């Protein structure tokens, strides 16, 4: 009733003001044009006022609506670290950080009325107070179901925060308030794995294979859809390639000639590859088992393959990637490794180019979880110290990554290779530069394992597993324990089998971890 009176009063005042404005404008025009133009002046005044002033106070409302957009805002993450000092005293650190939730898209399924993120948020993310940007069709209003009273729905504005620690019901109401549509919202976060892995270990069935694996000083491995491959190197530098079709129970030496000190194996699109530097060739094992050799052509932009510290690290979607540590470049080949071209990296953005490409013990990983619906390729390895640079840069592993977008080819995701800097980060656990470092993807995370730490004499050989939940930005050595009784022998290795289980190999035994 008060609103109706106010509307009437406003209309009356508006009409009086309109009359005064017309009279004044008419008098001014009349004085200017004279008596003969009064009728024209009056028409002109009427048109001007009609075009500039609207008396309509109606609002268009709609009976239909839907959720059209859902974006997370700035998120906070708290991560707890447990560190044991040399005296055996335990200390606890809590590191707080923040990051943009817009990099983790929320998908809206209009068929099932569900909202969710396929790329889980960082481990330790606080979901108790999350601000998000929500858009609707036809100016629909947004409400969230109360956590204490399911019959109540609370209006949401962009300044409010929402508790997403459990599934929430989001209701969109049409602007005419006649229709509603409910959505179930789930925000997924990486979960910690504290001692939740069950290990089962057995000696390799075949005695010859068991003895051969136990003799390897260094091993690196790759897994395809139907087999596991290990490239091993003895203390004398002899290199051999082994294959297992039964998830590591038995192994067979493959009939391929490898030069001494061949210690890098990679995989792309289910094809296993070994770089033969002296021959300037890539040995390829196709999913069918066929073995072929690809000749590498040294073009103007690609250094001779026999130069030091060139490593082929794998690939996907028909592309291969190689790292040239000395040139501080990452190369891409789209013709199976015949020719190569340099890709953009953020190394040139830093003073003195001190951020290094890995040169030894290099692993290439495609993360299982897709960010923005795309693959992320990650390169992890160790750098080689140079006298003119601070050794601090080489105490820890080097991690580079890139979001791959060959199908969509959108400018937004044509990212450069990005360096994940561990130097100066306020975290107590970093992935150290360890001899014989191997890294494997597992359960939407990365697991690293290695021998002697080159810059930390307190760390024992093959004494712990490191895990990263955020593509190698941060690591912890407390969430994942080695199996009881594990012995590494001459060398150790971490990889996954064809069933997705975590594999740790050492001293002729295979340990399988399941969650």
């Amino acid at each position: 009733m008060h609103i109706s009176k106010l509307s009437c009063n406003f209309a009356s005042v508006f009409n009086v003001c309109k009359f005064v404005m017309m009279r004044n404008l008419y008098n001014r025009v009349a004085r200017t044009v004279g008596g003969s133009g009064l009728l024209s002046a009056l028409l002109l005044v009427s048109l001007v006022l009609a075009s500039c002033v609207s008396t309509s106070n109606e609002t268009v409302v709609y009976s239909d609506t839907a959720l059209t957009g859902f974006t997370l805002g700035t998120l906070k993450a708290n991560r707890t670290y447990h560190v044991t000092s040399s005296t055996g005293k335990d200390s606890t650190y809590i590191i707080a950080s923040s990051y943009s939730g817009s990099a983790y898209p929320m998908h809206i399924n209009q068929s099932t009325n569900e909202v969710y993120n396929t790329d889980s948020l960082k481990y330790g993310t606080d979901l108790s107070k999350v601000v998000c940007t929500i858009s609707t069709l036809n100016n629909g209003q947004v409400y969230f179901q109360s956590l204490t009273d399911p019959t109540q729905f609370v209006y949401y504005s962009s300044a409010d925060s929402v508790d997403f620690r459990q599934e929430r019901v989001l209701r969109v109401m049409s602007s005419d308030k006649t229709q509603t549509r409910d959505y179930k919202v789930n925000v997924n976060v990486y979960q910690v794995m504290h001692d939740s892995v069950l290990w089962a270990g057995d000696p390799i069935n075949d005695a010859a294979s068991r003895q051969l694996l136990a003799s390897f000083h260094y091993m690196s491995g790759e897994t395809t859809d139907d087999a596991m491959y290990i490239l091993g190197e003895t203390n004398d530098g002899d290199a051999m390639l082994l294959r297992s079709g039964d998830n590591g129970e038995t192994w067979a030496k493959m009939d391929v000639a490898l030069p001494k000190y061949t210690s890098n194996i990679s995989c792309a699109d289910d094809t296993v590859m070994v770089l033969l530097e002296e021959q300037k060739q890539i040995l390829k094992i196709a999913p069918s088992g066929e073995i072929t050799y690809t000749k590498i052509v040294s073009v103007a932009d690609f250094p001779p393959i026999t130069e030091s510290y060139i490593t082929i690290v794998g690939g996907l979607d028909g592309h291969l990637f190689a790292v040239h540590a000395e040139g501080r470049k990452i190369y891409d080949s789209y013709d199976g490794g015949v020719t190569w071209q340099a890709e953009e990296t953020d190394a040139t953005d830093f003073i003195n180019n001190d951020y290094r490409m890995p040169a030894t013990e290099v692993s290439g990983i495609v993360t299982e979880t897709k960010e923005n619906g795309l693959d992320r390729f990650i390169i992890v390895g160790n750098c080689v110290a140079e006298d003119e640079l601070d050794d601090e840069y080489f105490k820890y592993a080097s991690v580079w990554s890139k979001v791959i977008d060959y199908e969509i080819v959108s400018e937004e995701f044509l990212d450069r290779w990005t360096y994940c800097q561990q130097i100066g980060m306020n975290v107590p656990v970093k992935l150290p530069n360890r001899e014989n470092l191997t890294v494997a993807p597992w359960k939407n995370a990365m697991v690293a394992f290695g021998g002697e730490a080159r810059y930390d004499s307190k760390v024992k050989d093959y004494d712990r597993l490191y895990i990263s939940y955020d593509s190698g930005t941060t690591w912890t050595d407390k969430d994942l324990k080695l199996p009881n009784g594990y012995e590494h022998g001459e060398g150790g290795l971490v990889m996954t089998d064809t069933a997705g289980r975590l594999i740790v190999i050492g001293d002729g035994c295979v340990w399988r971890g399941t969650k």
Side-chain angles (χ1 to χ4, degrees), residues 366-434:
V366 180
T367 53
E368 295 180 359
T369 299
K370 308 298 186 294
E371 182 175 81
N372 300 321
L374 303 171
D375 292 313
R376 180 186 295 275
F377 196 92
I378 304 172
I379 300 172
V380 185
N382 293 318
C383 299
V384 176
E386 296 182 11
D387 294 338
E388 69 270 18
L389 295 176
D390 188 346
D391 282 348
E392 187 72 15
Y393 288 105
F394 309 101
K395 292 181 180 179
Y396 309 103
S398 177
V399 181
W400 292 77
S401 67
K402 177 182 179 178
V403 175
I404 306 299
D405 184 20
Y406 293 127
E407 293 184 359
I408 301 176
V409 196
S410 61
E411 291 294 332
E412 180 183 0
F413 297 120
L414 289 179
D415 292 341
R416 297 178 295 178
W417 289 91
T418 302
Y419 175 67
C420 300
Q421 177 180 326
Q422 295 192 79
I423 304 303
M425 292 179 61
N426 185 27
V427 293
V429 179
K430 302 179 179 70
L431 180 62
N433 182 327
R434 303 191 72 150

Side-chain angles (χ1 to χ4, degrees), residues 436-495:
N436 304 334
L437 178 69
T438 56
V439 185
W442 183 62
K443 298 294 182 185
N444 304 331
M446 294 195 305
V447 180
F449 191 41
E452 179 183 353
R454 293 186 171 100
Y455 295 92
D456 190 350
S457 59
K458 298 178 182 178
V459 177
K460 298 180 181 179
D461 297 0
Y462 305 103
D463 64 340
R464 68 193 71 180
L465 294 168
Y466 299 83
I467 188 167
S468 173
Y469 305 96
D470 53 12
S471 303
T473 303
T474 59
W475 300 80
T476 178
D477 58 359
K478 300 301 181 183
D479 292 354
L480 189 59
K481 304 297 183 183
L482 278 169
N484 292 329
Y486 172 78
E487 295 289 342
H488 59 80
E490 291 290 334
L493 169 67
V494 64
M495 60 187 303

Side-chain angles (χ1 to χ4, degrees), residues 4-167:
S4 299
K5 287 184 176 180
L6 180 61
S7 300
C8 294
N9 292 337
F10 178 81
S12 300
V13 174
F14 178 81
N15 289 330
V16 172
C17 293
K18 184 174 68 173
F19 172 78
V20 174
M21 291 173 61
M22 291 181 65
R23 185 191 62 187
N24 293 340
L25 185 56
Y26 169 79
N27 291 335
R28 291 180 183 179
V29 174
R31 287 195 297 268
T32 302
V33 302
S36 61
L38 287 179
L39 180 59
S40 299
L42 181 59
L43 291 174
L44 176 61
V45 170
S46 301
L47 289 173
V48 169
L49 288 175
S51 62
C52 297
V53 180
S54 174
T55 61
S56 175
N57 57 1
E58 295 181 357
T59 301
V60 179
V61 295
Y62 300 88
S63 61
D64 60 334
T65 188
L67 186 65
T68 58
F70 195 111
T71 304
L72 300 175
T74 300
L75 300 170
K76 296 181 179 180
N78 296 308
R79 188 160 175 175
T80 303
Y81 294 85
H82 302 280
V83 179
T84 303
S85 67
S86 58
T87 61
K89 181 180 179 180
D90 290 332
S91 300
T92 299
Y93 297 84
I94 298 178
I95 306 299
S97 62
S98 61
Y99 64 100
S100 175
S102 62
Y104 299 78
M106 300 294 292
H107 301 276
I108 303 173
N109 189 327
Q110 301 290 1
S111 299
T112 61
N113 286 0
E114 293 179 304
V115 183
Y116 54 90
N117 55 313
T118 55
D119 191 7
S120 297
L121 302 179
K122 295 181 180 181
Y123 167 67
T125 298
D126 182 7
L127 295 183
S128 63
K129 296 180 179 180
V130 178
V131 175
C132 43
T133 301
I134 301 173
S135 58
T136 61
L137 178 68
N138 293 332
N139 297 319
Q141 293 183 332
V142 176
Y143 299 81
F144 277 96
Q145 187 180 49
S146 170
L147 290 173
T148 58
D149 185 356
T151 64
Q152 298 295 318
F153 282 79
V154 181
Y155 175 76
Y156 176 79
S157 72
S158 58
D160 297 332
S161 62
V162 184
D163 188 344
F164 285 118
R165 288 176 294 182
Q166 64 187 63
E167 182 180 87

Side-chain angles (χ1 to χ4, degrees), residues 169-436:
V169 175
L170 180 153
R171 172 167 293 178
V172 183
M173 179 179 291
S174 61
S175 56
D176 69 353
K177 303 191 183 305
T178 62
Q179 302 291 329
T180 61
R181 187 170 180 178
D182 290 350
Y183 295 82
K184 293 181 179 179
V185 182
N186 285 283
V187 181
N188 302 309
V189 180
Y190 280 127
Q191 300 299 316
V192 66
M193 300 181 184
H194 286 295
D195 296 329
S196 59
V197 178
L198 301 177
W199 293 100
D202 295 299
I204 297 172
N205 291 341
D206 179 62
S209 297
R210 183 168 64 250
Q211 184 178 1
L212 187 59
L213 281 171
S215 69
F216 286 150
H217 168 71
Y218 172 71
M219 293 180 283
S220 57
E222 288 289 350
T223 302
T224 64
D225 288 341
D226 58 0
M228 300 168 62
Y229 295 84
I230 290 180
L231 178 62
E233 179 185 308
T234 67
N235 284 321
D236 296 330
D238 296 329
M240 284 160 266
L241 186 62
L242 279 65
R243 180 185 184 278
S244 174
D246 54 12
N247 280 333
E249 293 186 9
T250 58
W251 295 83
K253 183 176 179 294
M254 301 192 68
D255 187 18
V256 292
L258 298 177
K260 280 182 174 289
Y261 305 107
T262 300
S263 57
N264 180 252
I265 186 173
S266 57
C267 188
D269 300 325
D270 220 32
T271 294
V272 176
M273 299 174 295
V274 178
L275 174 62
L276 309 177
E277 293 188 5
E278 295 180 0
Q279 294 87 347
K280 299 181 181 180
Q281 291 179 335
I282 305 174
L283 185 157
K284 295 181 178 179
I285 305 173
S288 63
E290 180 186 8
I291 298 176
T292 59
Y293 296 85
T294 296
K295 187 72 174 180
I296 298 173
V297 177
S298 295
V299 294
D301 193 40
F302 190 69
I305 198 65
T306 53
E307 285 192 9
S308 60
Y309 307 133
I310 292 181
T311 306
I312 295 177
V313 294
L316 74 164
D317 295 337
H319 288 248
L320 301 181
F321 303 120
V323 174
H324 181 211
E326 190 173 16
R328 302 172 188 172
K329 290 184 178 180
I330 298 176
Y331 289 89
D332 173 26
S333 173
Y334 48 85
D335 57 8
V338 179
T339 58
W340 300 79
Q341 61 184 11
E343 296 219 294
E344 284 192 73
T345 69
D346 63 5
T348 55
D349 289 349
F350 296 96
I351 299 175
N352 299 325
N353 279 349
D354 287 346
Y355 292 77
R356 317 300 270 170
M357 297 291 171
T360 62
E361 295 103 357
V362 185
S363 298
I365 299 164
V366 180
T367 53
E368 295 180 359
T369 299
K370 308 298 186 294
E371 182 175 81
N372 300 321
L374 303 171
D375 292 313
R376 180 186 295 275
F377 196 92
I378 304 172
I379 300 172
V380 185
N382 293 318
C383 299
V384 176
E386 296 182 11
D387 294 338
E388 69 270 18
L389 295 176
D390 188 346
D391 282 348
E392 187 72 15
Y393 288 105
F394 309 101
K395 292 181 180 179
Y396 309 103
S398 177
V399 181
W400 292 77
S401 67
K402 177 182 179 178
V403 175
I404 306 299
D405 184 20
Y406 293 127
E407 293 184 359
I408 301 176
V409 196
S410 61
E411 291 294 332
E412 180 183 0
F413 297 120
L414 289 179
D415 292 341
R416 297 178 295 178
W417 289 91
T418 302
Y419 175 67
C420 300
Q421 177 180 326
Q422 295 192 79
I423 304 303
M425 292 179 61
N426 185 27
V427 293
V429 179
K430 302 179 179 70
L431 180 62
N433 182 327
R434 303 191 72 150
E435 290 185 359
N436 304 334

Side-chain angles (χ1 to χ4, degrees), residues 496-510:
T496 53
D497 66 9
T498 58
R501 294 172 296 188
L502 188 65
I503 297 292
V504 178
I505 298 176
D507 201 27
C509 291
V510 174

